[in-house]
Amino acid sequence: MASYTAPLRDMRFVYHELMDGAALRRLPGYEEIDAELVDSVLEEAAKFCEQELVPLNRPGDEEGCRFVAGEVFTPKGFKEAYAAFTAAGWSALAFDPAYGGQGLPKSLSLLVDEMLCASNVSFWLYVSLTHGAYQAMRLYADEELKARYFPKMAAGAWSGTMCLTEPHCGTDLGLLRTRAEPAPDGSYRITGTKIFITGGEHDLTENIVHLVLARLPDAPPGIKGISLFLVPKFLVHDDGSLGARNAVSCGAIEHKMGIQASATCVMNFDGATGYLIGEPHRGMRAMFAMMNTERLAMGLQAIGHAEAAYQGALAWARERLQGRAAGGAKHPEQPADPLIVHPDVRRMLLTQRALVQGMRATAAWVGEALDVALKASEAERRQQAEDFLALMTPIVKGFFTDLGFECANLGVQVMGGHGYIREHGMEQHVRDARIAQIYEGANGIQAMDLAARKLPMHEGRLAEAFFRPVNEFIAECASDARMAEFVAPLKAALERLRHAVDFVLAQREASEVGAAAYDLMHLFGYTVLAYQWAKMARIGLAKEAGEEAAFYRAKVETARFYMQRILPRSEGLAAALRAGGRSIMAFDDAGW
Amino acid sequence: MKILVPVKRVIDYNVKARVKADGSGMELANVKMAMNPFDEIAVEEAVRLKEAGVASEIVAVSCGEAKCQEQLRQALALGADRALLVETTVELQPLAVAKLLKAIVDREAPRLVILGKQAIDDDANQTGQMLAALLDWPQATFASKVAVRGEEIEVTREIDGGLETLAMTLPAVVTTDLRLNEPRYATLPNIMKAKKKPLETLTPAELGVDVAPRLATLKVEEPPARKAGVKVASVAELVDKLRHEAKVIP
């Protein structure tokens, strides 16, 4: 059976040592968030995840959701676990205290999200979308809607969805057809069909709050004519109690590769009552508030799968006796040596380790920026954080989810046939991780978002939000001889990245940008991780002679592995990118 | 009614315990620590008594290094009202803890003390009994059910032959067994509230208790590894082995 132990030591490392948790306390509203509180929250969350959610993960995958006459039933145990989850207050973690939330920092809630994803990603999806809907509503919904819906959403009594995709349009939302007709009472009647709606219908909550993109009758064509509406499953009376069933129903659920316990629904809106969120025809802006939250969350899903796969593979490699170590038996008293003695197995485990811990460190950096953007009193600081988040969102979504899949896949490879069969739960991570590369904007779209939108924006200002701190760090380390082995490769990668960015920005042909985008996203990602590993190495070197020497020494050694064995991937990416898009675009149609 | 709940900081039950290389004790540096699970059951029972209107205040107490605050905060998050830490770096043995608790009871005057029947680190199973003796209070150990009726407490305890029910007059000491209840998870709002609940620190000297160890630990070592078994060919061979090798039958 798969087991998972939340990596609390590493989480405390990124929160208190890598990121400056104490500095976070200086943000208004976070004064009370001391180290002790952070640790208690992490420990209690870990306990819940390990004891309640991990045991439901594989049975949930085997059983899947059931669709019976318009109703959706989640697998056995999910309802009870969801009730326990909300009773313990976890759904309200990062919600605004004004609406019954706990107002804890995003930097902390990201770590809890990672645990939830590693434990049971299908379960987490029901929770995560509620939070995404909250984000969109927080920024764009009027006070009346917030007051009516937020307390129940914070309590987890009502969940949220994001209804974008239609049968004929996914990525290209300009094509969408769902209509919204104004009603005399100021509400709207929504008509149309949405597909791939995560948590569109289920038995976990008493109400479901759909955020739906639709067109008003006077809407201009294309993406500029889309508005956002709130459509509840049950109408809500003025006193907050539930009224009649709204004209929204689930037509079917999808049968899919993974996340079996998450209901992926076809939703039919047949003149359903909806309420406008934000301004008419400005729905995409509001939807992107939700979308960006979800895109960052996908990065956490990736870290979760990567960590769980790493733990499973490591435990297996330590126990499974196969073959002898090159250069002589390590355990002559046993019939064979454990797998972990073999170089290629070690390569796989260290790859997982370097990627997962590098991603976690990056996620903490992003979490810190989310908190600064939300809470800092100085406008300039908030703006810098927003720049950084805009830049990092496609990288966290696109690059991390690719790495998450790679790590899950390595987990299967380490275990061989035992990873491929279902018994040990490893192959489920591969199937569950796969969707993260697709939903919330496929990774190719993320690459285009980075190359064609984010980097050219404001004369290239966004990239500086990354280059500036890295250059400062390199300068700080200039006189530290022990850091040279980490700083030199980081510096070289940064140069490669800068040239690649300049190269892409200089392209006049859109197809050249498109051809370079994916390599650029990965090149950027590997450089971000190199920066994080250099920072972690510096802390490791400073502390490797003291208490917990083994922990810090492992940080230094993993950093070394990253620089020597992973970062060179960026050289290949840079070479491919510089070769340009001719070989891609010139391929003759007759030749396919 | 005030309830006192002593809680001990022990090695987490999920951690594989290892003996220190020099055999002087267990390896505790950088090992995950947690509240003794039997004490968690004691906290839960106290909280249930408070929820039922029987108890009015729950005071959690822990004896040991400053880090025991973590376990006290957890007790506060689970529902204790305030906490006391008797801080010392001296190795504490059950008698010393019982004496410290006696001094606390003298100060706080609870009507009931509920604590784990034993701690999962040294499994001594002594503190509750010693405390009852020092206080000259009745005791009911290994409780699997507790009911308070006015000035009387009825405790069901698991014994070899089945269940035994004792009635005692308060004040009394109760030690908890595994099946008394299933502790809840601390809720997020309560974790945050726990930060604001009072936690007072005392020292053994302030309580007038000499905590110096009375027993010396000579050596700690791993239990010997189990040898592989053998298959016997016949009953006669089995009996022979039991008689001559295991020497368990005459």
Side-chain angles (χ1 to χ4, degrees), chain B residues 14-179:
Chain B
N14 287 308
V15 173
K16 187 174 165 15
R18 286 176 207 285
V19 174
K20 273 188 193 163
D22 63 2
S24 64
M26 300 307 294
E27 188 56 75
L28 295 181
N30 310 318
V31 169
K32 188 165 180 251
M33 304 294 278
M35 190 193 297
N36 176 33
F38 289 107
D39 296 341
E40 230 179 305
I41 293 171
V43 175
E44 175 68 29
E45 197 61 22
V47 174
R48 289 186 190 189
L49 286 171
K50 192 178 171 196
E51 284 168 349
V54 173
S56 52
E57 190 187 21
I58 301 169
V59 181
V61 55
S62 191
C63 308
E65 53 176 343
K67 281 183 174 166
C68 295
Q69 284 189 19
E70 290 171 19
Q71 281 61 49
L72 288 172
R73 288 282 173 216
Q74 168 146 31
L76 293 170
L78 290 169
D81 298 293
R82 58 192 177 88
L84 298 170
L85 169 64
V86 184
E87 193 177 333
T88 173
T89 51
V90 175
E91 180 208 333
L92 291 178
Q93 293 176 348
L95 183 60
V97 176
K99 286 179 182 170
L100 289 171
L101 293 177
K102 157 122 184 8
I104 299 278
V105 169
D106 290 343
R107 258 177 55 126
E108 293 283 340
R111 300 292 287 162
L112 181 63
V113 179
I114 310 184
L115 68 167
K117 67 169 181 177
Q118 66 197 63
I120 61 164
D121 49 3
D122 53 19
D123 281 334
N125 190 350
Q126 295 170 350
T127 305
Q129 293 89 330
M130 286 173 167
L131 174 63
L134 290 171
L135 288 167
D136 197 21
W137 283 8
Q139 59 173 300
T141 53
F142 312 162
S144 64
K145 199 176 161 207
V146 170
V148 178
R149 291 193 192 88
E151 276 301 289
E152 197 171 80
I153 180 166
E154 201 175 271
V155 177
T156 307
R157 45 196 311 270
E158 298 183 352
I159 55 171
D160 284 349
L163 297 175
E164 179 184 55
T165 304
L166 301 176
M168 303 186 291
T169 307
L170 295 172
V173 174
V174 172
T175 74
T176 61
D177 211 334
L178 204 58
R179 278 166 291 276

Side-chain angles (χ1 to χ4, degrees), chain A residues 214-540:
Chain A
R215 279 181 193 289
L216 288 164
D218 60 344
I223 202 86
K224 292 199 161 61
I226 295 173
S227 309
L228 184 64
F229 298 87
L230 183 157
V231 181
K233 176 178 167 185
F234 288 98
L235 298 174
V236 180
H237 292 309
D238 288 342
D239 66 354
S241 64
L242 293 184
R245 176 80 193 242
N246 202 355
V248 48
S249 60
C250 176
I253 58 173
E254 305 293 344
H255 304 278
K256 52 197 189 292
M257 177 178 178
I259 54 167
Q260 304 289 2
S262 166
T264 307
C265 304
V266 175
M267 298 305 295
N268 295 314
F269 298 84
D270 301 302
T273 301
Y275 311 95
L276 184 67
I277 293 179
E279 295 165 48
H281 318 314
R282 301 296 300 274
M284 286 310 290
R285 205 170 50 134
M287 185 47 85
F288 262 98
M290 178 163 190
M291 182 74 100
N292 283 331
T293 304
E294 291 301 320
R295 284 181 174 173
L296 291 175
M298 292 311 118
L300 304 174
Q301 182 185 342
I303 304 173
H305 291 303
E307 173 70 36
Y310 168 59
Q311 288 187 15
L314 178 62
W316 183 264
R318 279 173 161 163
E319 271 173 27
R320 177 82 169 165
L321 306 180
Q322 292 289 294
R324 284 297 183 189
K330 288 261 191 229
H331 298 271
E333 78 287 359
Q334 291 176 336
D337 285 331
L339 280 178
I340 199 163
V341 303
H342 303 299
D344 189 57
V345 173
R346 299 174 77 83
R347 172 192 65 81
M348 291 191 277
L349 292 171
L350 277 163
T351 300
Q352 289 177 307
R353 182 182 175 88
L355 294 180
V356 69
Q357 292 185 3
M359 287 193 281
R360 182 175 298 122
T362 309
W365 193 20
V366 170
E368 195 179 6
L370 283 167
D371 285 318
V372 170
L374 190 67
K375 297 280 184 183
S377 38
E378 312 87 339
E380 194 194 335
R381 225 176 134 207
R382 284 202 306 271
Q383 184 58 55
Q384 281 181 4
E386 293 285 2
D387 278 4
F388 177 70
L389 290 169
L391 174 75
M392 289 301 288
T393 300
I395 297 168
V396 168
K397 164 44 168 106
F399 178 63
F400 279 25
T401 59
D402 283 355
L403 296 188
F405 183 73
E406 178 184 344
C407 290
N409 215 14
L410 285 172
V412 169
Q413 195 66 24
V414 169
M415 293 176 73
H418 296 274
Y420 190 70
I421 62 171
R422 280 149 85 139
E423 190 181 338
H424 299 284
M426 189 57 88
E427 56 82 49
Q428 187 189 343
H429 285 297
V430 177
R431 289 184 288 105
D432 286 357
R434 189 64 186 82
I435 185 60
Q437 297 168 289
I438 300 167
Y439 57 17
E440 316 302 353
N443 286 359
I445 299 293
Q446 303 305 319
M448 285 304 290
D449 179 42
L450 177 69
R453 252 189 93 235
K454 300 293 174 57
L455 290 175
M457 218 181 247
H458 308 301
E459 284 91 46
R461 189 182 81 197
L462 266 50
E464 289 310 311
F466 174 71
F467 286 120
R468 196 184 321 112
V470 182
N471 279 321
E472 284 167 13
F473 175 83
I474 291 172
E476 277 169 33
C477 296
S479 57
D480 187 345
R482 294 176 76 202
M483 279 300 289
E485 62 170 315
F486 305 105
V487 171
L490 169 64
K491 204 172 165 181
L494 196 68
E495 280 297 297
R496 269 195 296 281
L497 175 61
R498 206 179 257 289
H499 285 145
V501 169
D502 291 345
F503 174 86
V504 172
L505 289 178
Q507 297 307 315
R508 294 279 161 268
E509 302 261 342
S511 65
E512 281 294 330
V513 177
Y518 212 92
D519 290 334
L520 182 68
M521 176 175 74
H522 271 236
L523 178 54
F524 216 125
Y526 284 115
T527 312
V528 172
L529 258 58
Y531 170 51
Q532 292 301 327
W533 270 117
K535 281 178 72 177
M536 290 193 273
R538 185 162 66 164
I539 299 170

Side-chain angles (χ1 to χ4, degrees), chain A residues 183-194:
Chain A
D185 66 353
S187 69
Y188 296 83
R189 299 287 167 269
I190 314 292
T191 305
T193 295
K194 297 285 180 179

Side-chain angles (χ1 to χ4, degrees), chain A residues 112-154:
Chain A
V112 174
D113 276 325
E114 182 203 314
M115 291 184 212
L116 291 167
C117 290
S119 305
N120 194 326
V121 78
S122 287
F123 179 91
W124 169 78
L125 281 165
Y126 294 106
V127 177
S128 168
L129 281 150
T130 307
H131 198 260
Y134 162 77
Q135 282 299 346
M137 289 174 65
R138 184 177 69 82
L139 293 170
Y140 296 101
D142 57 42
E143 279 309 316
E144 203 261 318
L145 277 180
K146 285 192 214 174
R148 190 171 292 213
Y149 286 89
F150 275 0
K152 292 285 191 178
M153 289 166 75

